[in-house]
Amino acid sequence: VDCPTEQVEAVAIALALRETLETEGRTAALVTPDRNLARRVTAELQRWAIDIDDSAGVPLTETPPASLARLVSVMIAEGFAPVAMLSVLQHPFVALGLARDDCRHYARMLDTELRGPTPKPGLKALRKILEKDRALTGFVDRLALACGPLLALAKSPQPVPDLLSAMVLSLEALAATDVEAGAAMVWRGDAGEALAQVIATWRESGADLPLVSLAQFPDVLDELLAGAVVRPRHGRHPRLAILGPLEARLQRADRVVLGGLNEGTWPATVDTGPWINRPMRRTLGLPQPERRIGQAAHDFAQAFAADEVFLVRSNRVGGTPTVPARWLARLDARLRYDAQDANADAPAYVEAGRDYLAWALDLDSARKRVPPEQPVFCPPITARPKKLSASSIELWRRDPYGLYAYRILKLRPLEPLEQAFGAAERGSAIHKALEAFVRAWPDMLPVDAEAALLKLGRETLGPLLERPADEAFWWPRFERLAAWFCDIERERRAEGWRPHLLETQGERKIGKLTIYAIADRIDRKGKDWEIIDYKTGRVPSRREIEAAFAPQLSVEALIARGGGYKGKVDGDIALSYWRTGGGDGQREIPVKNAAEVIETTDRELRRLIEDFYTKGVAYEAIPYPAFAPAYNDYEHLERVAEWASRDDDDEEAS
């Protein structure tokens, strides 16, 4: 059976094993050195409620009780960092003396509260964040109490047996419910007994190990648990088994499936090692690496002698093409079959395997194909927003569905846990520094203008540059920005320009809609006006601006004309973007034909208001693909990748 992927290979093997059970008394075994394949087959057999006996067992580190112990050690070492802490609280064993459903509820609430930048390590900082929520503060206190035995050892390195004893107490406290002791949950079953045995062994024999701090304990615990395997004693199917090549030598089955037959897997890649070459091996009396290939060939030949044999491989593993095992190549050569020739007559054993491949591909295939459609939603006019910001108007132009999701459904993306400060936070900090500088010196600049701006930059950017890498990369950029900004400010002041408004919100009603925007800066020179937008990121293209798909500045101009910014603006209005990212490209980018751009925006905005608020036009997903949003929080809801790539066959099917 030549399968396209390792997943299809696992399904085909599971089908071959399952088919054996249709005949009473027949047995089957999968023989493979590939542990990933063995785990996949085990999972696939669960669809028929079959628990297969795997001779290699399950690594102890992958069982629930051991995984909880590892997560707890990491949480303590990282000072209750959000990801590590929530991993513990969402573990199926953890209840903290509550009903398990209540514990899950508080864990989800805590997950929501801790979204965003990484808090300072430690329980003190965590309690400060949650000080207004008594329920969550009490929940964190329960967690601290359960971890108390480990926290009591935090001041200095401790003997490994003492750390393990404290870990036992913490695990039992974490797993306790309102009606059941934690020990009954942690140590029950084969996995719990295996973990207890490992801990007991190291508590008795670990006194000679060096002292270990809580920061080092996760790595030490991984080493203590490494190599331990859990083998269930009962409850597995009596007629099916997964065997390694070594175990298969002394066992027999009516049907034998040889899986993972690719070079590098069976046989494994020969590794001579970095320290001992072949002559040295010969001198020391050590076997040559090729001996393992001979041993693998012997195991293959032994298993190949069964009554019924399946030879299974995948053409790709992890997306990478594979090479068939040398034994398959020799078998094909002996039977004069060219597997690479699609027109070659296949021998009977190849034809028989194709049935299982077809079944595997068909098992999870869709019975009906529904062509993807572009999302279109039409809420009642009364539910539509009555007030929109300039950024929402841009979203309205580019992606009406995005506005529908944001303003009508009120869907907001969750911030990631332990979010690093990114471009948005740095952009806001730069905006604040520039605003404070211009507000402090609205007329003539001081002699030490650059030093003054750098000082303001330190105050606003400082918290974002705590890491040396951020400091080394971003602060030189701000220094370049400060030099350029002071130069252009001197030139503008000499020409007669003065800042009129800074970071001011204005609004204006057009038809049934009120529009509003916060202007970064509006300058004035006599009867001339200029609206300026600081851009630390991407600057819209001229095409986007002229087609009103980047209407930020022109919306601000419409508000200014309507008197929305503390008085009506009657003169000419210039529009310009100032690139303030701090790279080599900081510069002033004026909008050409500003009056025409403003008129185009006014016309398009009135058309949108007429269509959506009178005619009830639907909110469509990305009606103009060429002007799709650069950053789309709702792309996964719109399923853009599905309908945007729809071909002619899909059109015909629909």
Side-chain angles (χ1 to χ4, degrees):
V1 187
D2 285 316
C3 304
T5 65
E6 66 267 40
Q7 175 60 23
V8 177
E9 179 183 10
V11 176
I13 292 173
L15 285 167
L17 297 177
R18 173 65 181 84
E19 185 186 34
T20 308
L21 302 182
E22 295 298 309
T23 304
E24 186 176 355
R26 281 180 61 81
T27 59
L30 165 63
V31 180
T32 181
D34 188 344
R35 297 306 311 150
N36 288 329
L37 177 61
R39 281 191 285 269
R40 283 178 179 270
V41 172
T42 301
E44 289 299 325
L45 286 171
Q46 289 295 324
R47 70 171 75 214
W48 299 293
I50 296 175
D51 289 325
I52 191 169
D53 183 20
D54 188 347
S55 64
V58 178
L60 177 60
T61 53
E62 296 181 10
T63 62
S67 68
L68 177 59
R70 297 170 68 201
L71 290 172
V72 170
S73 67
V74 172
M75 177 184 68
I76 300 294
E78 294 184 0
F80 294 85
V83 171
M85 180 175 61
L86 290 170
S87 298
V88 170
L89 294 175
Q90 293 172 359
H91 192 281
F93 280 12
V94 173
L96 292 177
L98 303 169
R100 297 200 184 278
D101 289 343
D102 293 339
C103 183
R104 302 294 171 271
H105 172 69
Y106 285 121
R108 285 192 290 270
M109 292 174 59
L110 192 60
D111 184 311
T112 304
E113 290 294 327
L114 296 181
R115 295 279 169 170
T118 307
K120 293 182 179 179
L123 288 169
K124 184 177 180 181
L126 188 60
R127 289 190 178 101
K128 186 175 182 180
I129 295 174
L130 305 172
E131 59 185 354
K132 295 182 180 180
D133 193 323
R134 291 186 178 180
L136 286 182
T137 302
F139 185 62
V140 171
D141 290 341
R142 284 178 174 270
L143 177 63
L145 182 62
C147 297
L150 281 170
L151 294 176
L153 306 179
K155 294 183 179 180
S156 61
Q158 302 290 330
V160 170
D162 291 352
L163 288 172
L164 291 175
S165 298
M167 174 63 77
V168 168
L169 296 176
S170 293
L171 290 178
E172 293 178 353
L174 286 166
T177 69
D178 54 343
V179 295
E180 183 181 31
M185 173 62 72
V186 175
W187 312 118
R188 72 183 179 190
D190 297 322
E193 292 181 13
L195 178 62
Q197 181 63 40
V198 170
I199 291 178
T201 299
W202 285 108
R203 286 170 69 178
E204 294 177 0
S205 59
D208 294 333
L209 295 175
L211 300 182
V212 173
S213 67
L214 287 180
Q216 299 168 324
F217 189 47
D219 294 331
V220 173
L221 183 62
D222 284 345
E223 290 300 321
L224 299 183
L225 299 178
V229 175
V230 179
R231 295 183 177 87
R233 293 188 292 260
H234 55 80
R236 295 299 184 260
H237 202 284
R239 291 196 281 146
L240 299 181
I242 297 178
L243 306 172
L246 179 63
E247 295 87 355
R249 294 178 191 175
L250 301 177
Q251 299 191 49
R252 178 188 176 281
D254 298 317
R255 172 176 289 183
V256 174
V257 181
L258 306 183
L261 289 173
N262 288 319
E263 286 291 313
T265 301
W266 196 358
T269 303
V270 174
D271 183 11
T272 58
W275 309 114
I276 303 178
N277 57 27
R278 297 176 188 278
M280 294 171 66
R281 282 179 171 274
R282 190 178 304 110
T283 302
L284 294 171
L286 297 176
Q288 295 297 331
E290 287 77 10
R291 184 177 183 276
R292 296 180 181 177
I293 294 181
Q295 195 172 31
H298 174 268
D299 293 336
F300 176 84
Q302 290 288 96
F304 190 74
D307 293 341
E308 186 181 13
V309 181
F310 282 69
L311 308 175
V312 191
R313 61 174 294 267
S314 56
N315 296 323
R316 286 179 176 270
V317 173
T320 303
T322 59
V323 177
R326 59 195 66 185
W327 305 304
L328 291 184
R330 291 186 180 183
L331 181 64
D332 290 337
R334 175 63 179 168
L335 298 176
R336 299 179 181 179
Y337 169 59
D338 185 1
Q340 305 301 319
D341 185 1
N343 297 321
D345 293 332
Y349 75 96
V350 175
E351 289 291 349
R354 288 174 179 172
D355 290 338
Y356 291 87
L357 175 59
W359 296 341
L361 293 172
D362 186 61
L363 187 62
D364 295 317
S365 63
R367 295 293 181 266
K368 179 181 179 182
R369 185 181 65 171
V370 178
E373 296 291 341
Q374 189 172 3
V376 176
F377 289 91
C378 189
I381 292 178
T382 55
R384 305 189 182 203
K386 303 299 188 295
K387 191 174 182 179
L388 289 179
S389 65
S391 58
S392 294
I393 292 171
E394 178 173 347
L395 182 60
W396 196 12
R397 284 283 288 150
R398 294 176 181 268
D399 182 12
Y401 176 87
L403 181 68
Y404 164 76
Y406 181 77
R407 292 300 304 271
I408 299 176
L409 298 183
K410 300 187 183 304
L411 300 179
R412 302 291 186 272
L414 279 176
E415 296 182 48
L417 290 165
E418 300 183 20
Q419 180 182 25
F421 291 116
E425 290 77 16
R426 282 187 284 268
S428 297
I430 291 173
H431 274 60
K432 290 179 181 179
L434 299 181
E435 177 198 354
F437 178 78
V438 176
R439 195 179 295 278
W441 291 281
D443 294 318
M444 301 306 294
L445 299 186
V447 177
D448 58 344
E450 290 185 25
L453 182 52
L454 290 175
K455 181 181 178 181
L456 291 170
R458 276 292 179 190
E459 293 174 0
T460 58
L461 276 170
L464 310 183
L465 303 179
E466 293 182 350
R467 295 190 305 175
D470 290 337
E471 170 82 15
F473 181 77
W474 286 103
W475 186 246
R477 296 170 70 94
F478 189 80
E479 290 177 329
R480 291 193 294 270
L481 169 63
W484 169 81
F485 190 81
C486 290
D487 288 341
I488 195 173
E489 282 296 321
R490 291 190 186 97
E491 293 175 7
R492 291 177 63 82
R493 306 297 170 88
E495 294 172 359
W497 287 101
R498 293 292 184 271
H500 179 68
L501 295 174
L502 298 172
E503 293 292 334
T504 303
Q505 178 171 314
E507 63 179 42
R508 175 185 175 183
K509 188 168 185 179
I510 299 178
K512 297 183 178 181
L513 181 68
T514 299
I515 61 174
Y516 67 95
I518 297 176
D520 286 349
R521 178 173 173 179
I522 300 178
D523 283 9
R524 183 177 185 181
K525 183 177 73 171
K527 292 185 178 181
D528 295 333
W529 300 81
E530 184 174 6
I531 301 178
I532 299 168
D533 189 24
Y534 299 140
K535 281 292 185 184
T536 55
R538 175 181 174 272
V539 177
S541 67
R542 179 178 176 181
R543 184 185 176 200
E544 290 174 316
I545 295 170
E546 292 179 348
F549 283 98
Q552 176 75 35
L553 287 177
S554 49
V555 167
E556 292 174 11
L558 291 175
I559 294 172
R561 281 184 175 179
Y565 290 115
K566 299 180 181 179
K568 193 172 183 179
V569 175
D570 294 325
D572 293 335
I573 301 178
L575 309 176
S576 63
Y577 293 97
W578 286 15
R579 182 176 288 168
T580 56
D584 297 330
Q586 62 260 14
R587 60 192 177 94
E588 184 181 7
I589 306 174
V591 174
K592 297 182 179 180
N593 304 319
E596 294 181 12
V597 170
I598 295 170
E599 292 302 323
T600 300
T601 301
D602 188 19
R603 184 173 60 255
E604 288 297 323
L605 183 56
R606 292 179 184 277
R607 181 188 63 80
L608 285 174
I609 294 172
E610 175 69 18
D611 289 346
F612 280 81
Y613 290 89
T614 302
K615 301 177 182 178
V617 170
Y619 290 83
E620 184 180 1
I622 311 181
Y624 308 101
F627 297 102
Y631 308 100
N632 189 353
D633 290 328
Y634 305 101
E635 185 175 9
H636 62 300
L637 299 180
E638 297 169 340
R639 305 179 77 162
V640 176
E642 297 180 16
W643 57 262
S645 59
R646 184 172 58 187
D647 54 24
D648 294 337
D649 292 338
D650 291 322
E651 293 286 355
E652 293 175 3
S654 62

